[in-house]
Amino acid sequence: MDELTAAEAAAYLGITREAVDLAAREDRLPAAAKTGPRRFSAEAVEAFHQLKQAQLTAALARTGETPVSVARRVRKRLHSDSETGLPRPFATKLASMPVDWRTLFSKAELAAACTTDGCRWCEARKFANFLGLRPVEFSPALRELFGADPCQACRPALLGPYMAALAARVHAGDRRPPGPPPRATEAERQAALEWVRERAVTAAAPVVQDDGREWVARRLRQTREKLKAARRSGDREYQAQLMRTLQSLTADAAAVDGGASAAPRGRKACGTPVGVRCECHTSDRRGQR
């Protein structure tokens, strides 16, 4: 279809005939001929639609919304019941939404989002074809509205043009396409910002660089306190276990700072730390016996 009448353009765009006539009088939708009944080229109608969508996306961005976030809210409204628990009519659900929300999608897409059986993408294509609306195209916002990806039957027809448009923006690594690099649209920038906000992480607390000295010193204090309690209680087996732990911690303290700050308060004549059994002490006890 190369040219459309005013009624066909209104049905294609999902707006009223009066809105089409007003856009034509204001030269926002140029007519193919200046005389006779207004007729519009398919390219002009599609360009008018893309412009309206860009303006709507920019208006949503000023309120902190994106097409994907709006689609999520619209789907929630469409599947919500009344306060009494009874299902609400489709027209009532649409009337409860802001105008910008329901203008972002066609009537076929909104009606297909309410279906519960089958593929909603297929249903949207059937509704659009029956009503003479603009054909359904794949987009992240529609995927959020329908809550699923296209089925195997409609996936090639929907994802083919979408992937081709993305491939046109990508060039091989060994050469750069002529002209300026492509710029991201406002919707893509807002979607990227939303993705960053949803996956934002908080910075971790800085790590104290103490080389393990504080940890070894704390374990030494705890072990000595437990050793004193074990000696008072007479638990020899637990004492022996704590003595081995104390000896290992003393060696760790000597490794982290030379043993100056974490070493025991005194040493024996042989150099063994106080509280650690040595051969000298054992031989002295044997000689006394």
Side-chain angles (χ1 to χ4, degrees):
M1 186 182 297
D2 296 334
E3 292 186 353
L4 294 84
T5 63
E8 292 172 343
Y12 183 90
L13 297 171
I15 58 179
T16 62
R17 169 69 181 273
E18 289 75 11
V20 171
D21 292 336
L22 178 61
R25 289 195 298 268
E26 295 177 351
D27 289 333
R28 291 184 289 113
L29 180 57
K34 299 298 183 181
T35 60
R38 288 193 179 97
R39 301 186 66 87
F40 308 92
S41 64
E43 293 77 9
V45 175
E46 181 63 23
F48 179 79
H49 170 76
Q50 295 297 336
L51 179 61
K52 293 290 291 183
Q53 290 296 105
Q55 293 174 349
L56 181 58
T57 301
L60 292 174
R62 288 192 291 270
T63 61
E65 296 283 359
T66 64
V68 175
S69 64
V70 169
R72 190 180 303 116
R73 296 175 183 272
V74 171
R75 184 180 63 179
K76 186 177 180 180
R77 292 285 186 92
L78 291 176
H79 292 276
S80 63
D81 296 331
S82 62
E83 297 179 356
T84 60
L86 298 176
R88 296 187 300 170
F90 179 67
T92 304
K93 295 179 180 180
L94 293 182
S96 64
M97 303 179 192
V99 177
D100 290 345
W101 289 14
R102 59 177 183 264
T103 308
L104 189 62
F105 307 101
S106 66
K107 295 180 180 178
E109 295 165 351
L110 293 172
C114 297
T115 59
T116 56
D117 298 331
C119 175
R120 291 172 178 167
W121 293 90
C122 294
E123 294 298 322
R125 297 179 68 191
K126 293 178 184 177
F127 295 159
N129 187 35
F130 177 77
L131 297 174
L133 300 176
R134 185 175 179 273
V136 177
E137 295 179 352
F138 178 85
S139 68
L142 272 185
R143 181 172 56 184
E144 184 67 30
L145 179 66
F146 294 155
D149 290 326
C151 66
Q152 295 292 338
C154 62
R155 182 174 300 175
L158 290 172
L159 289 182
Y162 181 75
M163 297 304 296
L166 292 180
R169 302 179 57 185
V170 180
H171 61 275
D174 58 345
R175 62 181 183 274
R176 188 177 297 276
R183 295 182 177 273
T185 62
E186 184 65 24
E188 292 172 339
R189 286 194 293 269
Q190 294 300 324
L193 292 175
E194 182 180 0
W195 186 91
V196 171
R197 286 194 297 267
E198 292 177 353
R199 294 164 178 79
V201 295
T202 56
V207 179
V208 179
Q209 300 294 337
D210 60 351
D211 298 329
R213 298 178 182 177
E214 181 63 27
W215 182 86
V216 173
R218 183 171 64 254
R219 287 296 307 277
L220 279 171
R221 291 193 298 268
Q222 295 173 354
T223 304
R224 291 194 187 103
E225 293 175 358
K226 293 179 181 179
L227 182 59
K228 291 180 182 179
R231 286 173 177 172
R232 287 194 296 266
S233 62
D235 190 346
R236 295 184 179 275
E237 183 177 357
Y238 190 37
Q239 289 183 44
Q241 180 181 352
L242 290 174
M243 290 292 293
R244 291 191 294 269
T245 304
L246 184 61
Q247 189 173 6
S248 299
L249 290 173
T250 303
D252 293 340
V256 296
D257 60 355
S261 61
R265 294 182 179 180
R267 292 180 177 272
K268 299 179 183 179
C270 61
T272 305
V274 176
V276 179
R277 188 177 297 276
C278 62
E279 294 297 332
C280 300
H281 179 73
T282 304
S283 59
D284 292 343
R285 294 292 296 273
R286 290 176 180 174
Q288 292 177 5
R289 291 179 182 177

